[in-house]
Amino acid sequence: MHAIFYRVQILFFCNLAHTTKIMKIIRFKNEISAAIKGFKERGKTIGFVPTMGALHDGHKALVTRCVSENDICIVSIFVNPTQFNNIVDLEKYPRNLERDAEMLEKAGCKLIFAPNPEEIYDSVEMSNQFSFDFNGLDKVMEGKFRPGHFNGVVQIVSKLFSLIQPDKAYFGEKDFQQLAIIHHMVKVLNFKVKIIDCPIVREPSGLALSSRNERLTEAQRKNAVEISKVLIESRNFAPKLSPKELTEWIINKMNTVPDLKVEYYEIVNSKSLQILDSWTEPAVGCIAVFCGEVRLIDNIRYNS
Ligand code: AMP
């Protein structure tokens, strides 16, 4: 891991000698704090995109927007151990800092914050004892099936916000529940940051881009395309079937596709995330589905 960091730093140090495009990778908190202090003193606006790396065009869309709307764009690359409730998932999470850095440089980002876990957490924090009042937002869907996941998310995002002090931070609607929780966190913890919701980026087939897609076989990838197809088809039934009936229809249909096994599908209020029994409120359907061993999520809005 360290060898990769050094290689990338050297790579971009060489760029520095030859061009004016400077890509900097910072690994330490004191260095990023010093950089932020300098930006703030010079009155620069800071945009921030937190990621776990293995970047794809979904991340790129967030970064491109961040670059265009701020003086400085900072991207963090940190596979946050405290938000994984499954150690195999954490170990198998794809990592490729060198490729990520190249992609970010092309997108116009000049500063990456890529710390090691030990730089971010002490041993107590690492055991994810972090607690936070989610006002029920963590009791459904991802929160129900990945206990402790959102504690880890709030733990890392609040740490990064405190460190980077962004004016704007960019998050994808692909992680719909995460986005709702981030909005709630910003309010409760009184962060002075504007959260920018960014739409889901999909392959032409409709499959939502995800770092986890890299782990799909070719056959699984074809079957995974059915996830978005079934979700889109379900819109045709939204007013005729109740949310409960539609939920059953989707789960049954999805489970007939080879390789797919639905973990949950819920139709919820897009703000409170509480399960709906009628279509009178803004509704979003959220799914987690295993494609082989790879867990994928997606969502669709029905009436807003
Ligand atoms: P991750 O690296 O998976 O933690 O994602 C970092 C950010 O990128 C999160 O705000 C995600 O919601 C967002 N993101 C991931 N995939 C997509 C996508 N396909 N479209 C839009 N945003 C995405």
Side-chain angles (χ1 to χ4, degrees):
M1 192 68 160
H2 285 207
I4 296 173
F5 281 121
Y6 292 130
R7 269 215 329 270
V8 176
Q9 278 179 320
I10 290 165
L11 181 82
F12 286 102
F13 182 72
C14 292
N15 277 356
L16 176 65
H18 297 293
T19 80
T20 52
K21 275 190 192 166
I22 306 166
M23 159 65 85
K24 196 159 187 212
I25 299 178
I26 290 183
R27 299 181 53 214
F28 301 105
K29 284 190 289 190
N30 58 354
E31 281 182 28
I32 193 83
S33 295
I36 300 292
K37 191 165 172 279
F39 297 142
K40 297 267 176 199
E41 279 168 4
R42 282 161 30 227
K44 303 283 184 196
T45 58
I46 298 173
F48 177 47
V49 185
T51 81
M52 297 206 297
L55 304 180
H56 49 64
D57 284 352
H59 299 107
K60 196 174 165 191
L62 273 58
V63 174
T64 304
R65 187 159 171 198
C66 179
V67 168
S68 74
E69 294 180 354
N70 301 277
D71 297 328
I72 309 286
C73 165
I74 302 178
V75 174
S76 64
I77 296 182
F78 181 65
V79 182
N80 176 32
T82 68
Q83 71 186 66
F84 284 80
N85 56 326
N86 178 340
I87 186 76
V88 180
D89 199 21
L90 171 62
E91 280 165 4
K92 289 203 170 163
Y93 202 86
R95 294 162 169 90
N96 194 334
L97 182 59
E98 204 163 330
R99 205 182 63 195
D100 289 346
E102 278 175 31
M103 195 247 236
L104 290 173
E105 193 194 26
K106 281 188 194 137
C109 166
K110 305 221 170 59
L111 185 46
I112 299 175
F113 180 51
N116 286 331
E118 300 71 35
E119 180 65 10
I120 293 294
Y121 297 126
D122 61 30
S123 55
V124 176
E125 290 172 325
M126 197 75 98
S127 65
N128 192 358
Q129 298 303 313
F130 185 84
S131 77
F132 177 74
D133 182 3
F134 290 88
N135 197 21
L137 291 172
D138 64 327
K139 293 285 178 281
V140 290
M141 305 189 293
E142 293 298 283
K144 192 158 135 198
F145 285 90
R146 301 181 70 188
H149 169 66
F150 288 120
N151 288 65
V153 170
V154 170
Q155 184 185 30
I156 185 61
V157 177
S158 60
K159 263 182 185 284
L160 291 170
F161 278 5
S162 299
L163 205 56
I164 289 171
Q165 300 168 49
D167 298 286
K168 291 182 184 162
Y170 297 76
F171 290 85
E173 287 181 345
K174 169 157 177 292
D175 297 270
F176 195 87
Q177 188 171 9
Q178 169 173 282
L179 190 45
I181 286 174
I182 297 295
H183 279 286
H184 173 68
M185 180 198 87
V186 163
K187 234 188 249 164
V188 171
L189 300 182
N190 207 15
F191 281 110
K192 304 273 170 286
V193 56
K194 185 170 186 326
I195 301 300
I196 311 290
D197 302 5
C198 302
I200 302 176
V201 179
R202 298 177 181 279
E203 288 183 354
S205 67
L207 178 64
L209 295 185
S210 164
S211 307
R212 289 188 167 87
N213 293 354
E214 284 183 26
R215 290 172 53 204
L216 298 172
T217 64
E218 211 173 303
Q220 286 171 341
R221 190 176 267 262
K222 277 197 188 125
N223 290 325
V225 167
E226 293 302 314
I227 300 169
S228 61
K229 281 199 180 149
V230 174
L231 292 184
I232 289 167
E233 193 184 346
S234 76
R235 273 194 178 138
N236 300 330
F237 303 101
K240 293 173 218 148
L241 299 180
S242 70
K244 188 165 183 285
E245 288 164 337
L246 191 56
T247 299
E248 280 166 14
W249 180 85
I250 285 180
I251 293 174
N252 289 335
K253 180 125 186 170
M254 211 73 90
N255 281 339
T256 63
V257 179
D259 289 320
L260 298 191
K261 181 90 190 74
V262 175
E263 187 170 61
Y264 68 78
Y265 185 70
E266 301 285 13
I267 297 174
V268 298
N269 176 300
S270 61
K271 291 275 179 288
S272 70
L273 303 185
Q274 297 315 296
I275 293 169
L276 295 179
D277 51 21
S278 74
W279 296 107
T280 52
E281 299 168 48
V284 60
C286 298
I287 192 162
V289 50
F290 279 93
C291 185
E293 286 187 348
V294 183
R295 188 177 184 277
L296 302 173
I297 58 171
D298 201 344
N299 62 76
I300 189 161
R301 284 178 191 269
Y302 286 106
N303 52 5
S304 59

